[in-house]
Amino acid sequence: MSQLLTNYHDQLENAKMPAGKKKVLQTALTLFANNGFHATTTAKIAKQAGVSEGTIYKYFKSKDDLLTSLLQPILLEIKDNFFSRLDSTANLKELIHFMVTDRIAFISVNFDFIRLLMQEFLTNQPAGKYYEKFFNGNTGVLTRVQQLQKQYPEINQSLTTVQIIRSIVGPVMTYILQINLFHVPSDSNDVALIEHQILSNLTKI
């Protein structure tokens, strides 16, 4: 199990909620991550959690609602924790270095959970609602990136927020998929090249 999921299991263990609800959340989190959302039935969750299916529907309207209850707090924690650590960077080059190395390490360690997120986003049409608070609002990713663009004027100010995100996420995710999904070996200078590529994409006019 990934470090992220292990940490969230620990948070659930200490959370103040009915024991049945806690068991359902902990079990569902493990089964969704290991087997995928669609392959995990509420019957399987109930059996492994040692509760009845009625207990699941006592606390959650549907399996989708159960997934939302798991994903939203995890996504918000990922976002807030990451952006809170960007203030320590002194310049744009240092910012990009932190973003690239931090996210490569994070996604590599938590690849099973990240894969679950991507699978649900691609195969579950209503999945966009899981990500609404992650992207939108005063503390959402879009607003945070807009703030970074103002903080670092060397970023091409004609770029849209989505273009900035794409310029950063694209090279990082391609590298992660290369290593973790396709198992294509990397070169020792790959990370430095990714940082240079992102810096170039963000600053060229």
Side-chain angles (χ1 to χ4, degrees), residues 23-66:
K23 287 182 180 179
V24 169
L25 285 168
Q26 289 173 324
T27 303
L29 183 62
T30 300
L31 290 176
F32 288 158
N34 292 339
N35 305 324
F37 177 72
H38 295 290
T40 303
T41 64
T42 53
K44 287 182 181 178
I45 296 171
K47 182 177 180 180
Q48 188 157 322
V51 300
S52 67
E53 281 193 78
T55 298
I56 296 177
Y57 291 109
K58 176 182 177 181
Y59 298 111
F60 307 100
K61 297 177 182 178
S62 63
K63 194 171 71 166
D64 281 337
D65 183 41
L66 172 55

Side-chain angles (χ1 to χ4, degrees), residues 73-84:
I74 295 176
L75 286 171
L76 295 178
E77 173 65 23
I78 292 172
K79 171 180 63 68
D80 293 341
N81 181 268
F82 173 66
F83 279 101
S84 69

Side-chain angles (χ1 to χ4, degrees), residues 41-181:
T41 64
T42 53
K44 287 182 181 178
I45 296 171
K47 182 177 180 180
Q48 188 157 322
V51 300
S52 67
E53 281 193 78
T55 298
I56 296 177
Y57 291 109
K58 176 182 177 181
Y59 298 111
F60 307 100
K61 297 177 182 178
S62 63
K63 194 171 71 166
D64 281 337
D65 183 41
L66 172 55
L67 180 62
T68 302
S69 298
L70 287 169
L71 292 188
Q72 283 187 346
I74 295 176
L75 286 171
L76 295 178
E77 173 65 23
I78 292 172
K79 171 180 63 68
D80 293 341
N81 181 268
F82 173 66
F83 279 101
S84 69
R85 291 182 289 133
L86 296 184
D87 294 336
S88 61
T89 56
N91 53 60
L92 182 59
K93 187 174 181 180
E94 187 177 318
L95 174 74
I96 291 171
H97 174 71
F98 172 79
M99 283 182 166
V100 171
T101 55
D102 180 81
R103 290 301 86 181
I104 287 176
F106 174 84
I107 296 173
S108 295
V109 171
N110 298 287
F111 188 70
D112 51 354
F113 178 71
I114 302 301
R115 182 170 54 189
L116 170 64
L117 293 181
M118 294 304 297
Q119 286 174 341
E120 293 318 305
F121 189 76
L122 293 172
T123 62
N124 189 358
Q125 190 171 0
K129 65 184 179 183
Y130 308 150
Y131 305 90
E132 184 175 351
K133 291 184 179 179
F134 182 78
F135 285 107
N136 300 318
N138 293 333
T139 62
V141 169
L142 297 178
T143 299
R144 297 294 187 96
V145 173
Q146 289 170 357
Q147 292 168 348
L148 289 175
Q149 189 175 22
K150 294 178 181 178
Q151 183 178 347
Y152 296 94
E154 57 267 50
I155 295 177
N156 183 351
Q157 297 300 303
S158 68
L159 292 174
T160 67
T161 305
V162 174
Q163 288 170 339
I164 292 173
I165 294 173
R166 191 167 62 231
S167 296
I168 298 170
V169 174
V172 173
M173 285 306 300
T174 300
Y175 178 77
I176 289 294
L177 293 175
Q178 170 196 328
I179 301 301
N180 293 281
L181 189 62

